[in-house]
Amino acid sequence: MDITAVNPAMNAPVAAAPEIPPEHAAANRSVVQAVKAVNETGMFGDNQLTFQRDPDSQRMVIQVINPKTHEVVSQIPAEYVLRLADDLKRQSPCNYR
């Protein structure tokens, strides 16, 4: 069976991951190790601390997540703050960062 005829998107080229400078890679490893260490302490009970980049604003977001329900218990900056900053950026000729 030829599945490429069914889903032509499967033939789309895969974009290469952006090159990360060595100093940033080392910093990323440090953050990952720190988050793992915090999660292992049980400081947040059954919840887990995560760091991730917001796909819209490209800003770092810290979240406390319930791993059973995948509910975001707490987030910094809050979702409304990210959206407010995005709205301000779109309305103003200045570039807020």
Side-chain angles (χ1 to χ4, degrees):
M1 181 167 130
D2 181 16
I3 63 170
T4 58
V6 175
N7 190 354
M10 295 300 290
N11 290 334
V14 177
E19 188 80 19
I20 298 175
E23 60 274 7
H24 290 172
N28 289 348
R29 280 191 297 277
S30 296
V31 170
V32 168
Q33 290 173 347
V35 169
K36 284 182 180 179
V38 168
N39 285 333
E40 288 173 0
T41 66
M43 183 182 294
F44 295 101
D46 291 336
N47 298 326
Q48 293 192 342
L49 180 68
T50 65
F51 282 70
Q52 59 188 10
R53 190 168 300 280
D54 177 63
D56 297 326
S57 68
Q58 293 301 308
R59 294 178 186 207
M60 289 304 297
V61 176
I62 303 166
Q63 294 179 327
V64 176
I65 297 178
N66 180 321
K68 295 175 186 167
T69 64
H70 303 287
E71 173 191 5
V72 176
V73 177
S74 181
Q75 176 176 310
I76 300 171
E79 188 67 31
Y80 76 89
V81 173
L82 291 171
R83 299 305 142 233
L84 178 62
D86 187 46
D87 287 345
L88 288 172
K89 184 177 168 183
R90 290 178 194 208
Q91 292 176 7
S92 175
C94 297
N95 206 1
Y96 292 101
R97 289 195 177 215

